Amino acid sequence: MSRKYEDLTITKDGQLLLKKAEHDQVETVWDRYQAQLPQCGYCDMGLSCRICIMGPCRVDPFGEGPQQGVCGADADIIVARNLGRMIAAGAASHSDHGRDLVEVLAEVAEGRAPGYTIVDEAKLKSLAAEFGVAVDGKDPLQIAKELAAAMQEEFGTRKKELTLLKRAPAKRQDIWKKLGIAPRGIDRETSEMMHRTHMGVDNGWVSLLLHGMRNALSDGWGGSMIATDVSDILFGTPKPAATTVNVGVLKEDQVNIIVHGHNPVVSEMVLQACQSPEMLQLASAKGAKGINLAGVCCTGNELLMRHGVPMAGNHLTTELVLATGAVDMMIVDYQCIMPSLGKVAACYHTKMISTSDKAHFPGMEHREFHPDNVADMARMVVKEAIDNFGRRGRVYIPVEPVNAIGGFSIETIIGALGGTPQPLIEAIKAGKIRGAAGVVGCNNPKIKQDYGHVTLTRRLIENDILVLDTGCAAVANAKAGFKVAEAINYAGPGLKEICGALGIPPVLHVGSCVDNVRILGLVSALANALGVDISDLPVAGAAPEWYSEKAATIGVYFVASGVYTVLGPMPPITGSMNIVNLLTQGLNDLVGAVFAVEPDPEKAAILIRKHIETKRQALGLPFLANVG
Ligand code: BF8
Ligand code: SF4
């Protein structure tokens, strides 16, 4: 295929490795995307339904063909049901990840998870207190046992509401109660969404979307929040640490192991194994200068945040990183792992290992990791990676890595501010920082890789808007060089002054996708300090290149929490103008925030800046009347 690599990705490593992949006749996500064009217009608009076997059905958007499915569902019902199921899948993914961590915590408490410990005891205790678990006089393992049991309860039916909703400002909690969307149980809301969207249950597009918000909130203030907090308890609450990013983090003279996926349960143990003297000795005996563990996607982000482990790339780089020929092993857990990876790896010497009982892939060897065997399994696979080092062919690592700082948990951000959000509030009030934006989410071959994230972020910081980022957006911004102290030179004068004084970059890496809840934590702290609701703050969210169901769920819980959110790619909703209008306008009356869709990041930046100035004006703060 003849094409310009510059049209597919803004990254130098991506462009060079795409060329290499083409030379090696390796098919990538961009080739497969091309082969799918034109994609189905009905599906694109959300107008096709395959929920039952009277179908599949579709509604004609031009009014000429059928306007109802076999069951009688019209465009509004079909679009709402499809969106509802998308939200349910996203919530289920994050929340199941959270459940896996709670199970590890329970096993640690019982002494059945050798290798894991309680790293952040203070967080264990504060979380236990939130869940009503008495901590005085108890040893940490006993607290962990009771906390894990209390958290497991959250997943089922609690009848009232999730414990962590209390972290939201009181005004926000009231809105959820009034609308009847305060989530009751993490699994319950997902399960109810699947029920409601079965043929012949909920056929009200408004009630379906309201439940969609309840379902998404069960992730944001439930499953994902638990995932982040329990990860911090088990592996440490992140602190700023230097790291490096892009494919250049691979080392020609070392054993390169890549971890991919989301749950740090496996990758943390792989890291320990890579650092063990026994493995380092083995590597040296095989002629390697060391063992270089690097990450991609969110498992990578988890390790980057807590240990400064280098990051080889984000979603669309996951195949290309293998095309370097330098990866001796890729170890995957779950989510966002393209099923093509085994096939790509087969063109090189890379050994592919899948580790989760719930995630199997073609072309990978399956080694199931469980809490009781994980330390042994980690050593075993690292040893295999070392053995594989000698099988390498020619290696192509075409770029130098870029420096970055990660590890901005909310505790760290507040700590950097001197222990209270007040200095940030003062800077916002004075207009030195106009506001803050969360830039989050994926890569998607429909958008030039990283262009959306990097362009939007550049425009925001230029205009004195502090950016917090997560997931693949965070990796994109790190590759672009926005995460070093010197990056204040990209920022506007006010943001430059504040970040310069604090010694932090203008773009703060707050973690993986489940860590978007850290952003919820920060906006709650700001709102509480100001005595307002989240929807009153000069803040916004953006997912400029999103692709996944999880990202859809994050967007919905951001909006339902009061954060105006701009999506790059259009969700499959344009088949129902009722739904488009509700999501982009009507929700303002219900939750005080809406979605906007704007694939052009230059224009998305203007939308966000306008929104932030409007909120500043409403708060009685100095505002700019003419933006854009
Ligand atoms: O959870 S940002 S492509 S890796 S879904 Fe996936 Fe999207 Fe990346 Fe992380 Ni999040
Ligand atoms: Fe068709 Fe209705 Fe079945 Fe959907 S639920 S496939 S619209 S009959």
Side-chain angles (χ1 to χ4, degrees), residues 94 97 260-262 296-299 301 313-316 318 334-337 440-444 453 470-475 511-514 516 545-552 554:
H94 277 157
H97 164 171
H260 181 6
H262 285 76
V296 289
C297 290
C298 284
T299 273
N301 277 323
N314 46 3
H315 182 50
L316 291 188
T318 55
Y334 46 51
Q335 297 172 14
C336 301
I337 296 150
V440 310
C442 323
N443 290 141
N444 181 330
H453 300 306
T470 60
C472 290
V475 182
S512 63
C513 274
V514 292
N516 280 309
E545 303 178 32
W546 74 285
Y547 94 89
S548 96
E549 292 161 317
K550 290 179 291 168
I554 294 164

Side-chain angles (χ1 to χ4, degrees), residues 49-57 69-73 78 81 199:
C49 181
R50 49 176 177 73
I51 278 175
C52 91
I53 293 304
M54 293 191 284
C57 306
V70 176
C71 66
I78 290 176
R81 283 194 309 213
M199 203 300 278

Side-chain angles (χ1 to χ4, degrees), residues 48-207:
S48 53
C49 181
R50 49 176 177 73
I51 278 175
C52 91
I53 293 304
M54 293 191 284
C57 306
R58 54 187 197 239
V59 163
D60 186 277
F62 305 109
E64 285 160 15
Q67 293 301 295
Q68 295 176 334
V70 176
C71 66
D74 62 13
D76 294 330
I77 297 170
I78 290 176
V79 170
R81 283 194 309 213
N82 286 338
L83 183 61
R85 287 195 166 199
M86 193 175 215
I87 295 167
S93 306
H94 277 157
S95 297
D96 201 37
H97 164 171
R99 182 199 339 269
D100 285 341
L101 283 153
V102 175
E103 283 182 354
V104 172
L105 184 68
E107 294 292 303
V108 170
E110 298 289 350
R112 289 196 297 252
Y116 298 107
T117 49
I118 307 289
V119 172
D120 191 337
E121 216 176 290
K123 197 158 215 171
L124 172 78
K125 287 187 178 155
S126 72
L127 214 64
E130 284 185 88
F131 278 86
V133 172
V135 297
D136 287 345
K138 284 188 200 154
D139 79 44
L141 292 184
Q142 181 60 29
I143 299 171
K145 182 176 169 178
E146 292 176 31
L147 175 61
M151 283 178 160
Q152 272 160 342
E153 287 277 303
E154 296 283 303
F155 285 84
T157 305
R158 286 180 63 91
K159 294 205 173 66
K160 288 198 181 114
E161 58 184 50
L162 297 180
T163 304
L164 298 177
L165 298 190
K166 290 198 285 285
R167 290 181 177 179
K171 287 182 182 166
R172 187 57 24 189
Q173 294 180 48
D174 287 345
I175 288 174
W176 294 335
K177 276 197 197 106
K178 217 171 91 209
L179 288 174
I181 60 169
R184 301 151 295 178
I186 297 167
D187 290 342
R188 177 178 182 166
E189 306 310 351
T190 294
S191 188
E192 185 172 313
M193 180 58 88
M194 297 311 284
H195 179 191
R196 281 177 185 246
T197 53
H198 186 280
M199 203 300 278
V201 186
D202 194 354
N203 291 289
W205 55 272
V206 176
S207 52

Side-chain angles (χ1 to χ4, degrees), residues 284-555:
S284 152
K286 295 275 175 185
K289 291 229 168 79
I291 306 173
N292 180 37
L293 182 71
V296 289
C297 290
C298 284
T299 273
N301 277 323
E302 297 275 350
L303 292 185
L304 179 155
M305 287 288 286
R306 296 195 177 86
H307 309 286
V309 165
M311 169 65 80
N314 46 3
H315 182 50
L316 291 188
T317 315
T318 55
E319 293 174 309
L320 297 179
V321 74
L322 300 179
T324 59
V327 179
D328 301 301
M329 178 175 280
M330 181 181 267
I331 303 169
V332 309
D333 51 268
Y334 46 51
Q335 297 172 14
C336 301
I337 296 150
M338 287 191 240
S340 60
L341 283 169
K343 203 169 161 196
V344 177
C347 300
Y348 305 94
H349 78 300
T350 308
K351 205 159 188 175
M352 301 294 294
I353 305 285
S354 54
T355 58
S356 166
D357 56 351
K358 52 190 131 191
H360 298 253
F361 301 85
M364 296 198 194
E365 289 179 37
H366 191 65
R367 305 286 161 69
E368 225 159 276
F369 281 54
H370 294 285
D372 61 339
N373 73 3
V374 68
D376 291 340
M377 291 295 284
R379 272 197 303 275
M380 196 171 91
V381 296
V382 169
K383 188 172 173 303
E384 286 178 49
I386 295 169
D387 288 339
N388 203 27
F389 174 70
R391 292 183 53 239
R392 266 193 209 167
R394 249 191 53 220
V395 163
Y396 179 62
I397 305 171
V399 293
E400 288 297 317
V402 170
N403 290 327
I405 305 170
F408 288 96
S409 55
I410 299 313
E411 291 85 341
T412 298
I413 297 174
I414 304 276
L417 294 167
T420 127
Q422 210 50 41
L424 180 56
I425 289 172
E426 294 310 323
I428 290 173
K429 278 187 176 165
K432 289 189 174 169
I433 296 182
R434 313 296 311 167
V439 179
V440 310
C442 323
N443 290 141
N444 181 330
K446 292 178 176 173
I447 294 196
K448 197 193 295 186
Q449 186 193 13
D450 290 1
Y451 173 72
H453 300 306
V454 170
T455 309
L456 175 64
T457 301
R458 187 189 301 276
R459 294 293 172 249
L460 294 178
I461 60 175
E462 256 170 31
N463 286 288
D464 292 322
I465 294 167
L466 177 69
V467 170
L468 296 102
D469 58 10
T470 60
C472 290
V475 182
N477 284 334
K479 283 187 271 180
F482 291 156
K483 294 191 178 177
V484 283
E486 306 77 63
I488 54 170
N489 294 323
Y490 296 115
L495 184 62
K496 181 175 179 177
E497 179 192 324
I498 302 290
C499 292
L502 294 169
I504 57 172
V507 180
L508 302 179
H509 194 324
V510 297
S512 63
C513 274
V514 292
D515 290 335
N516 280 309
V517 303
R518 298 191 200 271
I519 298 177
L520 294 182
L522 184 66
V523 292
S524 296
L526 290 178
N528 286 335
L530 282 165
V532 300
D533 194 0
I534 296 171
S535 54
D536 299 320
L537 296 172
V539 300
E545 303 178 32
W546 74 285
Y547 94 89
S548 96
E549 292 161 317
K550 290 179 291 168
T553 311
I554 294 164

